[in-house]
Amino acid sequence: DARVTQTPRHKVTEMGQEVTMRCQPILGHNTVFWYRQTMMQGLELLAYFRNRAPLDDSGMPKDRFSAEMPDATLATLKIQPSEPRDSAVYFCASGLETGLNYGYTFGSGTRLTVV
Amino acid sequence: AQSVTQLGSHVSVSEGALVLLRCNYSSSVPPYLFWYVQYPNQGLQLLLKYTSAATLVKGINGFEAEFKKSETSFHLTKPSAHMSDAAEYFCAVDSGTPLVFGKGTRLSVIA
């Protein structure tokens, strides 16, 4: 089965450090999403791309978060500097947007702990 | 704007009992609706989807959901709960990318 691969699976870092999370979407999928999951807020959309172009990043704190797609096989989410409130599970998902939505495929997530 | 409301953040059922997880949506256009399941320490997995074909949708693991436009609902059911069904379930609506998720319902299954 095709899958979305996220690395690392777990990350513990100190406040103020830079964190980079990586995602390899499913080959052929043209839309990539970054979600954050916390107990308090549930699933929040941070940003998404179509054909590598950013379409919406209004869910991200702009001063510290950035999301990019250097190529079709890699999406990155970077936090600089990290803060304890960024502790969460970050999910990447990919899908094929053709006018009919068949749902997204999620990665296993990166569990981030900022101490 | 579209939205999803999942009634009950936690549902507990006995093994073998009916599972009913409720989802109501709000959408200004005919929606696509989804149920996802999340097992502990895993990502979300697509359970089933409604895309304007049959109103009764069958998914994996014996789950099904019925789209009721008059009630703006898309409730998830399973006739007989199994211990392995214990997980978090998310309803989502799509009236245009991206998906909007509900807050989730945690299902516990009691032996």
Side-chain angles (χ1 to χ4, degrees):
Chain A
D1 285 343
R3 60 179 62 189
V4 174
T5 302
Q6 289 187 248
T7 57
R9 287 295 310 275
H10 302 272
K11 177 72 175 179
V12 180
T13 190
E14 292 185 347
M15 182 175 61
Q17 296 298 304
E18 178 178 298
V19 175
T20 299
M21 290 168 272
R22 293 177 174 80
C23 168
Q24 181 177 357
I26 290 174
L27 189 65
H29 280 187
N30 64 350
T31 311
V32 175
F33 305 82
W34 283 105
Y35 284 89
R36 176 171 64 184
Q37 185 178 38
T38 61
M39 289 291 291
M40 294 299 296
Q41 300 297 327
L43 273 168
E44 301 174 278
L45 177 68
L46 297 176
Y48 74 100
F49 298 78
R50 180 171 296 147
N51 299 322
R52 295 178 55 202
L55 290 190
D56 186 357
D57 62 0
S58 59
M60 293 198 311
K62 299 289 193 304
D63 56 337
R64 298 184 300 109
F65 284 59
S66 61
E68 296 180 345
M69 277 202 76
D71 60 62
T73 65
L74 177 65
T76 62
L77 179 66
K78 188 175 296 185
I79 307 175
Q80 167 63 19
S82 58
E83 297 181 1
R85 59 178 167 156
D86 301 329
S87 297
V89 181
Y90 291 81
F91 288 105
C92 175
S94 71
L96 181 61
E97 297 290 339
T98 60
L100 290 176
N101 192 334
Y102 294 102
Y104 310 153
T105 301
F106 279 76
S108 297
T110 294
R111 182 175 297 275
L112 175 64
T113 303
V114 183
V115 299
Chain B
Q2 63 269 27
S3 65
V4 168
T5 302
Q6 291 185 242
L7 298 177
S9 60
H10 186 205
V11 171
S12 186
V13 300
S14 299
E15 191 174 19
L18 171 72
V19 175
L20 171 61
L21 304 181
R22 300 177 187 273
C23 171
N24 288 88
Y25 70 91
S26 172
S27 177
S28 58
V29 298
Y32 295 146
L33 294 159
F34 304 81
W35 276 99
Y36 282 81
V37 60
Q38 184 180 29
Y39 298 104
N41 299 314
Q42 295 186 26
L44 278 69
Q45 178 183 355
L46 183 63
L47 203 54
L48 52 80
K49 58 183 181 283
Y50 166 75
T51 55
S52 75
T55 57
L56 183 62
V57 181
K58 294 187 184 299
I60 61 173
N61 301 337
F63 284 93
E64 62 183 35
E66 186 172 9
F67 172 70
K68 292 187 177 180
K69 184 178 179 180
S70 61
E71 299 178 7
T72 61
S73 69
F74 191 57
H75 301 331
L76 182 70
T77 60
K78 182 175 181 177
S80 177
H82 192 272
M83 297 297 289
S84 61
D85 295 327
E88 184 117 21
Y89 292 81
F90 294 90
C91 183
V93 63
D94 178 23
S95 302
T97 306
L99 286 182
V100 174
F101 286 89
K103 295 287 189 184
T105 297
R106 181 168 300 278
L107 175 67
S108 297
V109 182
I110 304 167

Short mmCIF file of all heavy atoms in Angstrom, two decimals, chain A residues 56-81:
data_model
loop_
_atom_site.label_atom_id
_atom_site.label_comp_id
_atom_site.label_asym_id
_atom_site.label_seq_id
_atom_site.Cartn_x
_atom_site.Cartn_y
_atom_site.Cartn_z
N ASP A 56 -2.73 27.95 1.27
CA ASP A 56 -3.26 28.56 2.49
C ASP A 56 -2.34 28.20 3.65
O ASP A 56 -2.08 27.03 3.87
CB ASP A 56 -4.68 28.04 2.77
CG ASP A 56 -5.33 28.75 3.95
OD1 ASP A 56 -4.69 29.60 4.59
OD2 ASP A 56 -6.51 28.44 4.22
N ASP A 57 -1.84 29.19 4.32
CA ASP A 57 -1.04 28.94 5.53
C ASP A 57 -1.56 29.79 6.66
O ASP A 57 -0.82 30.13 7.59
CB ASP A 57 0.44 29.17 5.28
CG ASP A 57 0.74 30.61 4.89
OD1 ASP A 57 -0.21 31.42 4.81
OD2 ASP A 57 1.92 30.92 4.66
N SER A 58 -2.83 30.14 6.61
CA SER A 58 -3.40 31.03 7.61
C SER A 58 -3.49 30.39 8.99
O SER A 58 -3.65 31.08 9.99
CB SER A 58 -4.79 31.49 7.17
OG SER A 58 -5.65 30.39 6.99
N GLY A 59 -3.36 29.06 9.06
CA GLY A 59 -3.42 28.40 10.34
C GLY A 59 -2.11 28.38 11.09
O GLY A 59 -2.06 27.93 12.23
N MET A 60 -1.07 28.87 10.47
CA MET A 60 0.26 28.83 11.09
C MET A 60 0.61 30.16 11.73
O MET A 60 0.31 31.22 11.15
CB MET A 60 1.35 28.58 10.03
CG MET A 60 1.30 27.23 9.41
SD MET A 60 2.88 26.83 8.61
CE MET A 60 3.18 28.29 7.65
N PRO A 61 1.25 30.11 12.90
CA PRO A 61 1.87 31.34 13.45
C PRO A 61 3.00 31.74 12.52
O PRO A 61 4.03 31.07 12.43
CB PRO A 61 2.40 30.88 14.81
CG PRO A 61 1.72 29.58 15.10
CD PRO A 61 1.44 28.94 13.79
N LYS A 62 2.83 32.84 11.82
CA LYS A 62 3.76 33.20 10.75
C LYS A 62 5.15 33.55 11.27
O LYS A 62 6.14 33.43 10.54
CB LYS A 62 3.23 34.41 9.96
CG LYS A 62 1.92 34.18 9.27
CD LYS A 62 2.09 33.24 8.09
CE LYS A 62 0.87 33.25 7.20
NZ LYS A 62 -0.36 32.94 7.96
N ASP A 63 5.22 34.03 12.49
CA ASP A 63 6.51 34.51 12.97
C ASP A 63 7.48 33.37 13.26
O ASP A 63 8.70 33.58 13.26
CB ASP A 63 6.31 35.36 14.23
CG ASP A 63 5.58 34.62 15.34
OD1 ASP A 63 4.86 33.66 15.02
OD2 ASP A 63 5.71 35.02 16.50
N ARG A 64 6.95 32.14 13.45
CA ARG A 64 7.87 31.08 13.83
C ARG A 64 7.73 29.81 12.97
O ARG A 64 8.61 28.97 12.97
CB ARG A 64 7.63 30.70 15.29
CG ARG A 64 7.88 31.84 16.27
CD ARG A 64 7.73 31.38 17.71
NE ARG A 64 6.38 30.88 17.98
CZ ARG A 64 6.10 29.60 18.18
NH1 ARG A 64 7.06 28.70 18.14
NH2 ARG A 64 4.87 29.24 18.45
N PHE A 65 6.64 29.69 12.27
CA PHE A 65 6.40 28.50 11.46
C PHE A 65 6.61 28.82 9.98
O PHE A 65 6.24 29.89 9.51
CB PHE A 65 4.97 28.00 11.64
CG PHE A 65 4.69 27.27 12.93
CD1 PHE A 65 4.89 27.88 14.16
CD2 PHE A 65 4.23 25.96 12.91
CE1 PHE A 65 4.63 27.21 15.35
CE2 PHE A 65 3.95 25.28 14.09
CZ PHE A 65 4.15 25.90 15.30
N SER A 66 7.14 27.84 9.26
CA SER A 66 7.21 27.96 7.81
C SER A 66 7.03 26.58 7.19
O SER A 66 7.47 25.58 7.75
CB SER A 66 8.54 28.58 7.37
OG SER A 66 9.62 27.77 7.77
N ALA A 67 6.37 26.55 6.05
CA ALA A 67 6.13 25.29 5.35
C ALA A 67 6.55 25.47 3.90
O ALA A 67 6.29 26.50 3.30
CB ALA A 67 4.67 24.89 5.43
N GLU A 68 7.21 24.44 3.38
CA GLU A 68 7.70 24.51 2.00
C GLU A 68 7.56 23.14 1.33
O GLU A 68 7.45 22.11 2.01
CB GLU A 68 9.19 24.91 1.97
CG GLU A 68 9.47 26.29 2.51
CD GLU A 68 10.96 26.61 2.46
OE1 GLU A 68 11.78 25.69 2.28
OE2 GLU A 68 11.30 27.80 2.60
N MET A 69 7.60 23.16 0.00
CA MET A 69 7.69 21.93 -0.78
C MET A 69 8.82 22.12 -1.79
O MET A 69 8.59 22.57 -2.92
CB MET A 69 6.38 21.63 -1.49
CG MET A 69 5.36 20.94 -0.62
SD MET A 69 4.11 20.03 -1.58
CE MET A 69 5.05 18.59 -2.10
N PRO A 70 10.03 21.76 -1.40
CA PRO A 70 11.17 21.93 -2.31
C PRO A 70 11.00 21.14 -3.61
O PRO A 70 11.47 21.58 -4.66
CB PRO A 70 12.35 21.39 -1.51
CG PRO A 70 11.90 21.36 -0.09
CD PRO A 70 10.42 21.21 -0.10
N ASP A 71 10.37 19.99 -3.53
CA ASP A 71 10.03 19.23 -4.73
C ASP A 71 8.80 18.39 -4.45
O ASP A 71 8.27 18.39 -3.34
CB ASP A 71 11.22 18.38 -5.22
CG ASP A 71 11.67 17.38 -4.18
OD1 ASP A 71 10.86 16.49 -3.84
OD2 ASP A 71 12.82 17.47 -3.72
N ALA A 72 8.35 17.68 -5.46
CA ALA A 72 7.09 16.95 -5.35
C ALA A 72 7.14 15.79 -4.37
O ALA A 72 6.11 15.25 -3.99
CB ALA A 72 6.66 16.44 -6.73
N THR A 73 8.35 15.39 -3.97
CA THR A 73 8.48 14.25 -3.07
C THR A 73 8.79 14.65 -1.64
O THR A 73 8.99 13.80 -0.78
CB THR A 73 9.59 13.30 -3.56
OG1 THR A 73 10.85 13.98 -3.49
CG2 THR A 73 9.33 12.83 -4.98
N LEU A 74 8.83 15.94 -1.36
CA LEU A 74 9.21 16.38 -0.02
C LEU A 74 8.47 17.64 0.38
O LEU A 74 8.45 18.64 -0.35
CB LEU A 74 10.72 16.65 0.05
CG LEU A 74 11.24 17.17 1.39
CD1 LEU A 74 11.05 16.13 2.49
CD2 LEU A 74 12.71 17.58 1.26
N ALA A 75 7.85 17.57 1.56
CA ALA A 75 7.26 18.75 2.19
C ALA A 75 7.91 18.91 3.55
O ALA A 75 8.18 17.91 4.23
CB ALA A 75 5.75 18.59 2.34
N THR A 76 8.18 20.14 3.94
CA THR A 76 8.81 20.38 5.24
C THR A 76 8.00 21.38 6.04
O THR A 76 7.37 22.29 5.49
CB THR A 76 10.24 20.91 5.08
OG1 THR A 76 10.21 22.17 4.41
CG2 THR A 76 11.10 19.92 4.31
N LEU A 77 8.03 21.19 7.35
CA LEU A 77 7.43 22.13 8.28
C LEU A 77 8.50 22.48 9.30
O LEU A 77 9.06 21.59 9.94
CB LEU A 77 6.22 21.52 8.98
CG LEU A 77 5.50 22.41 10.00
CD1 LEU A 77 4.86 23.61 9.31
CD2 LEU A 77 4.43 21.63 10.76
N LYS A 78 8.78 23.76 9.41
CA LYS A 78 9.87 24.20 10.26
C LYS A 78 9.33 25.14 11.34
O LYS A 78 8.45 25.99 11.07
CB LYS A 78 10.93 24.92 9.42
CG LYS A 78 12.20 25.26 10.14
CD LYS A 78 13.23 25.85 9.17
CE LYS A 78 13.64 24.84 8.12
NZ LYS A 78 14.73 25.35 7.25
N ILE A 79 9.86 24.98 12.53
CA ILE A 79 9.51 25.87 13.65
C ILE A 79 10.82 26.46 14.17
O ILE A 79 11.75 25.73 14.51
CB ILE A 79 8.80 25.12 14.79
CG1 ILE A 79 7.60 24.33 14.27
CG2 ILE A 79 8.34 26.13 15.86
CD1 ILE A 79 6.93 23.46 15.34
N GLN A 80 10.88 27.78 14.18
CA GLN A 80 12.08 28.45 14.66
C GLN A 80 11.72 29.83 15.20
O GLN A 80 11.27 30.69 14.43
CB GLN A 80 13.11 28.58 13.53
CG GLN A 80 14.27 29.52 13.81
CD GLN A 80 15.15 29.09 14.98
OE1 GLN A 80 15.13 27.92 15.38
NE2 GLN A 80 15.89 30.01 15.55
N PRO A 81 11.91 30.10 16.48
CA PRO A 81 12.31 29.17 17.53
C PRO A 81 11.12 28.41 18.09
O PRO A 81 9.98 28.88 18.07
CB PRO A 81 12.86 30.14 18.59
CG PRO A 81 12.00 31.36 18.43
CD PRO A 81 11.72 31.47 16.95
#
